[in-house]
Amino acid sequence: MGADGSKSHVRKLAGISTTGWKYPQNAIICTVEHTEDNRCAWQRFLRTGPIALLPMGDNYSNIVWTMGPQQAADRRSMNEADFLKAVNDALDDGHGPHPQSERIGDGGILAWLRSDETSSASEHFEVPPRITKLASDRMVFPLSLMHANNYVSKRVVLIGDAAHTVHPLAGQGVNLGFGDARSEE
């Protein structure tokens, strides 16, 4: 079984060719620490591409932030304080209105209650946890789409990124991989 990623050695040894293209974007990826436990995957759509905060447990999450190659190189070389400010701004501070904050629900999730005239008092906006520290190096990866021309060959089956890679948007890649693993074909 080839489940060894987008540069699959198993796929190459099986002689399975691929079709695809490169996107004009890179993803900057790192692990971050925050003050609150995070049990929610967050995604914001920015003009340069999406940013995602993906929970790992405890007070750690992964960041996947899509942007142009030069922006990714610039953000990778920022000092930690400037990078954390940029991440927090992208996740929340720099976008949209800031209604009054209030604790709601169980688990102490911070949310915003809209106070404008267009919404009812029962509507709320949850806010992602504030990022306080880098917990890993920042890595930059070029983004591409790749699809194996066959998922099955003599005594070989490909799953996950070995079979197909997609833009890292909304967890599509991992969901496709889970679908591959469940497949009975």
Side-chain angles (χ1 to χ4, degrees):
M1 177 180 294
D4 55 341
S6 63
K7 296 178 182 177
S8 173
H9 189 64
V10 172
R11 185 183 65 236
K12 289 176 187 166
L13 288 174
I16 298 173
S17 59
T18 63
T19 303
W21 60 80
K22 294 181 180 184
Y23 292 108
Q25 294 176 308
N26 286 356
I28 189 163
I29 299 169
C30 60
T31 302
V32 294
E33 188 173 347
H34 30 75
T35 56
E36 301 175 40
D37 186 24
N38 180 31
R39 296 178 187 207
C40 181
W42 299 87
Q43 189 161 22
R44 296 281 193 261
F45 294 89
L46 309 172
R47 290 176 191 210
T48 58
I51 183 171
L53 181 68
L54 308 168
M56 294 179 55
D58 297 323
N59 289 16
Y60 295 93
S61 293
N62 285 324
I63 295 285
V64 179
W65 194 356
T66 302
M67 60 192 69
Q70 186 59 52
Q71 288 175 303
D74 292 346
R75 291 232 164 74
R76 183 177 187 208
S77 65
M78 285 179 163
N79 67 49
E80 182 173 345
D82 289 343
F83 181 75
L84 295 176
K85 181 180 181 333
V87 168
N88 284 313
D89 285 351
L91 286 170
D92 174 53
D93 290 341
H95 306 280
H98 289 120
Q100 181 178 351
S101 295
E102 182 176 315
R103 294 248 177 224
I104 65 162
D106 57 358
I109 295 173
L110 181 63
W112 284 339
L113 297 178
R114 268 179 100 164
S115 58
D116 63 35
E117 297 172 353
T118 64
S119 64
S120 72
S122 64
E123 290 184 67
H124 69 274
F125 297 91
E126 293 184 14
V127 179
R130 189 146 192 88
I131 308 306
T132 58
K133 183 178 173 183
L134 280 173
S136 76
D137 290 335
R138 289 167 270 179
M139 298 172 283
V140 174
F141 296 95
L143 300 180
S144 64
L145 176 119
M146 181 279 304
H147 177 73
N149 294 335
N150 296 300
Y151 289 4
V152 179
S153 183
K154 284 185 182 178
R155 301 176 62 179
V156 174
V157 63
L158 301 176
I159 67 169
D161 284 353
H164 40 69
T165 61
V166 296
H167 194 289
L169 180 67
Q172 292 180 69
V174 73
N175 289 325
L176 286 169
F178 292 153
D180 294 341
R182 283 191 302 267
S183 179
E184 296 180 19
E185 292 183 38

